[in-house]
Amino acid sequence: MKLTRRSILAAAVFASFAASPFAAFAAKPLVMGFSQVGAESEWRTANTVSVKDAAKKAGVNLKFADAQQKQENQVKAIRSFIAQKVDVIAFSPVVESGWDTVLREAQAAKIPVILTDRAVNVTDPSLYVTFIGSDFVEEGRRAGKWLLEHVKKTSPDGTVNIVELQGTVGSAPAIDRKKGFEEVIASNAKLKVIRSQTGDFTRAKGKEVMEAFLKAEGKKINVLYAHNDDMAIGAIQAIEEAGMKPGKDITIISIDGVKGAFEAMIAGKLNVTVECSPLLGPQLMQIAADVVAGKPVPKRITTQEGVFPAEVAAKEFPNRKY
Ligand code: GZL
């Protein structure tokens, strides 16, 4: 094969580049700015561990910011990532609205944004590349379907009085889990939500609001629907302190599937948990690498999840990863 002057020159240029300090730039680790909601629940803690572990395994340089459940802290973190010229920004938006301005700043800086866990309401969907997370409306439907199939405790007049502990006001999981649950229970007129209030996804607030529900409604309450396990666990403490039996006097349905929920089900204090996986780290790192490499990615990536009633809790518990 005749080696032309041009191919010899090209080989020489490549060889000199490969040996030069510039070669290191070619293998520069991906830099990700990640803004996390906070540390409000077992679910969130497991989600943070998943993201950090996956970043380490993938060799991603992760800049992690905990917003302590405040949107203004997330906006500040995203602006800081833009100033640091990271390769990609990922975040779990604490609430759905109020993101257009800062996401337009990221777009102007040509930094792709990936949503994980929770969705945003923006006028221009091009402001983020993809959303990786659960279908919260479906989680609410699954909670409602379980109740339709298992409702036992009713009031003397046959109605089933439900109290609801909602997640963080304005957050996608709170809005959608309420929507899905109401959509399904509407098929049975006897099922009535008599009280509904936010417990902000925390155990402490869940206990406090359940105490208020019990003070107002007492033994009228037949069912508690909690948008996450942490609020359900807080409510369980309130129910016991009121001299009632959680899981028996009051049927309790919650969402997440964290270890604490399985322990409560094994103790007979929780009736069912609808799984919502926090283990999004590995998927996030893969998608981030694809996005930075300019590969096309789906606009929506939904995690697959199940429903775990108390009957299976002891058998399933050893398999739980969060
Ligand atoms: C759901 C996630 C919610 C969990 C809560 O994907 O955003 O936030 O259900 C957590 O436990 O606080």
Side-chain angles (χ1 to χ4, degrees):
M1 178 185 73
K2 184 169 168 294
L3 276 180
T4 63
R5 280 170 49 81
R6 183 190 296 268
S7 57
I8 293 168
L9 183 63
V13 166
F14 177 76
S16 62
F17 176 83
S20 76
F22 294 107
F25 286 105
K28 185 168 78 70
L30 185 145
V31 182
M32 174 186 285
F34 188 95
S35 168
Q36 179 61 293
V37 165
E40 72 281 2
S41 61
E42 265 189 77
W43 189 99
R44 188 63 56 197
T45 307
N47 180 245
T48 292
V49 168
S50 176
V51 168
K52 288 183 173 176
D53 284 358
K56 199 179 269 168
K57 285 198 183 86
V60 165
N61 175 358
L62 182 71
K63 296 176 181 302
F64 183 92
D66 175 333
Q68 291 161 343
Q69 285 190 283
K70 292 184 175 59
Q71 180 171 27
E72 63 266 25
N73 290 343
Q74 291 201 286
V75 171
K76 271 190 217 133
I78 292 169
R79 286 196 166 122
S80 162
F81 297 147
I82 294 170
Q84 296 174 67
K85 296 185 172 34
V86 299
D87 298 313
V88 60
I89 291 170
F91 76 117
S92 170
V94 62
V95 291
E96 283 192 338
S97 54
W99 302 102
D100 293 73
T101 304
V102 73
L103 294 184
R104 269 199 288 276
E105 291 167 21
Q107 194 171 60
K110 297 195 180 355
I111 300 175
V113 173
I114 296 171
L115 301 180
T116 83
D117 168 27
R118 296 183 182 179
V120 294
N121 254 335
V122 287
T123 48
D124 173 4
S126 76
L127 289 173
Y128 63 90
V129 178
T130 184
F131 164 37
I132 309 170
S134 307
D135 178 341
F136 301 132
V137 176
E138 182 54 30
E139 290 171 352
R141 290 194 193 103
R142 287 176 183 169
K145 278 180 198 142
W146 185 89
L147 181 57
L148 286 183
E149 291 157 9
H150 296 83
V151 65
K152 290 191 190 72
K153 296 295 290 176
T154 65
S155 294
D157 62 0
T159 57
V160 179
N161 295 317
I162 303 163
V163 294
E164 179 182 28
L165 287 171
Q166 296 182 36
T168 302
V169 175
S171 69
I175 293 165
D176 290 352
R177 285 170 183 170
K178 182 172 181 48
K179 184 175 160 198
F181 183 77
E182 287 173 349
E183 178 191 295
V184 166
I185 67 166
S187 63
N188 179 341
K190 291 194 181 310
L191 300 183
K192 294 186 186 317
V193 177
I194 58 172
R195 297 262 171 175
S196 181
Q197 194 178 325
T198 182
D200 209 17
F201 283 132
T202 68
R203 291 190 183 198
K205 196 85 177 120
K207 180 180 182 198
E208 186 188 310
V209 175
M210 190 65 200
E211 284 164 351
F213 286 164
L214 288 162
K215 211 168 173 173
E217 304 291 353
K219 297 202 183 315
K220 261 182 67 185
I221 300 170
N222 304 121
V223 176
L224 163 63
Y225 168 48
H227 288 187
N228 83 329
D229 294 334
D230 285 72
M231 294 189 292
I233 291 164
I236 284 167
Q237 290 166 10
I239 293 166
E240 289 180 316
E241 286 170 12
M244 294 169 77
K245 292 191 182 63
K248 295 174 184 59
D249 297 332
I250 296 179
T251 298
I252 304 179
I253 304 162
S254 76
I255 298 178
D256 276 350
V258 297
K259 283 199 172 88
F262 279 80
E263 287 158 347
M265 287 195 286
I266 291 164
K269 299 180 180 178
L270 175 68
N271 300 87
V272 61
T273 183
V274 174
E275 187 180 35
C276 173
S277 176
L279 308 179
L280 304 174
Q283 229 175 350
L284 170 60
M285 296 309 150
Q286 181 54 57
I287 285 289
D290 290 348
V291 166
V292 171
K295 290 181 188 167
V297 296
K299 191 73 181 171
R300 178 75 173 91
I301 300 166
T302 307
T303 33
Q304 302 309 312
E305 293 146 349
V307 178
F308 295 93
E311 299 75 43
V312 306
K315 184 164 166 288
E316 172 64 20
F317 188 60
N319 307 328
R320 301 305 296 167
K321 296 187 178 68
Y322 63 92

